[in-house]
Amino acid sequence: MSKQSDIDQIRVDILTQNICPELAEQATNLVIGDGNVNAEIVFVGEAPGKSEDEQGLPFVGAAGKFLNEMLETSNMQRQDVYITNIVKYRPPNNRDPFPEEKEVFWPFLLRQLEIIQPKIVATLGRHSMEYFLPNAKISEIHGQPKRINLGSQTVVIVPLFHPAAALYNGSMRETLMNDFAKIPNILKRANEYDAVLKIMTE
């Protein structure tokens, strides 16, 4: 099976298992993710918003436009990365996802990452960060790469502020853009680390 068909199966499983029926009932679309299933970088937000729910794609509203802008300034294209959220349905009135909603969707996100096998997972906002880095404070560790074991793979987590939080806050916008600009170099170092590891285990 191809990676894309494996991702498509996750959509089927969420629908078949009737995950978060109260969210599903008021949502227009199940928003699985978008982008390159062979990406080295996966961006993980918290949950879809209004535009995302309408279009069935993650990060297509104002925050998504800012994300696209930051990708371009870091010499990356949206089609080169993969973008998703922990929670796959829009919470009503754009409220924060509840802990139990994140918990029930977490295994499906892990399956996505297992299929894609990225080198870097960049978390967008506190809600997605805290699942990968429990007890961490985003104000203290934003932009700092952390290598963790995730299931059968090792990934580098790069915690970032959520683009939506930076839209109306000039200083946070600058911080986020500076953190974002570090990602290509973090990826280069992650690939070098993996290459050395491969040599050592051969």
Side-chain angles (χ1 to χ4, degrees):
M1 284 178 79
S2 71
K3 284 187 174 186
Q4 187 58 59
S5 59
D6 287 344
I7 296 280
D8 292 341
Q9 185 60 47
I10 293 175
R11 172 185 292 277
V12 172
D13 291 348
I14 289 171
L15 293 170
T16 307
Q17 294 172 36
N18 198 20
I19 300 298
C20 282
E22 65 293 334
L23 283 187
E25 193 178 319
Q26 54 82 50
T28 307
N29 278 298
L30 173 63
V31 185
I32 288 290
D34 180 44
N36 185 347
V37 294
N38 296 302
E40 291 187 304
I41 304 170
V42 172
F43 291 90
V44 180
E46 51 198 45
K50 186 173 185 290
S51 300
E52 291 74 19
D53 179 49
E54 288 168 354
Q55 296 184 44
L57 294 168
F59 284 88
V60 289
K65 288 188 177 70
F66 183 32
L67 179 62
N68 292 346
E69 183 189 323
M70 288 188 291
L71 282 168
E72 285 174 21
T73 57
S74 302
N75 294 318
M76 292 184 277
Q77 297 294 321
R78 190 174 169 118
Q79 61 264 29
D80 297 332
V81 302
Y82 192 86
I83 304 170
T84 187
N85 290 293
I86 291 188
V87 173
K88 312 298 188 191
Y89 289 118
R90 179 197 180 199
N93 303 314
N94 283 1
R95 66 158 169 75
D96 289 342
F98 293 146
E100 56 270 25
E101 292 165 349
K102 290 188 283 185
E103 193 175 328
V104 77
F105 272 112
W106 176 245
F108 296 100
L109 175 62
L110 287 182
R111 272 176 64 187
Q112 281 177 293
L113 297 176
E114 189 72 37
I115 292 162
I116 297 167
Q117 294 278 315
K119 298 288 175 66
I120 289 176
V121 174
T123 59
L124 298 168
R126 173 176 57 85
H127 287 281
S128 60
M129 180 202 73
E130 63 192 12
Y131 256 84
F132 294 96
L133 301 171
N135 308 317
K137 288 188 176 156
I138 194 163
S139 57
E140 294 173 359
I141 66 161
H142 63 87
Q144 299 173 27
K146 309 284 180 190
R147 186 176 291 275
I148 66 165
N149 292 320
L150 198 64
S152 63
Q153 59 184 318
T154 302
V155 294
V156 176
I157 306 297
V158 182
L160 302 170
F161 286 114
H162 196 286
L167 282 177
Y168 312 106
N169 182 328
S171 62
M172 191 175 280
R173 181 185 171 95
E174 189 178 350
T175 298
L176 183 50
M177 291 188 83
N178 289 342
D179 287 347
F180 219 93
K182 299 174 186 172
I183 291 176
N185 193 41
I186 292 170
L187 177 60
K188 182 171 175 245
R189 280 162 39 210
N191 282 325
E192 287 168 354
Y193 176 89
D194 288 346
V196 168
L197 213 58
K198 189 165 182 279
I199 291 165
M200 288 170 66
T201 53
E202 280 176 351

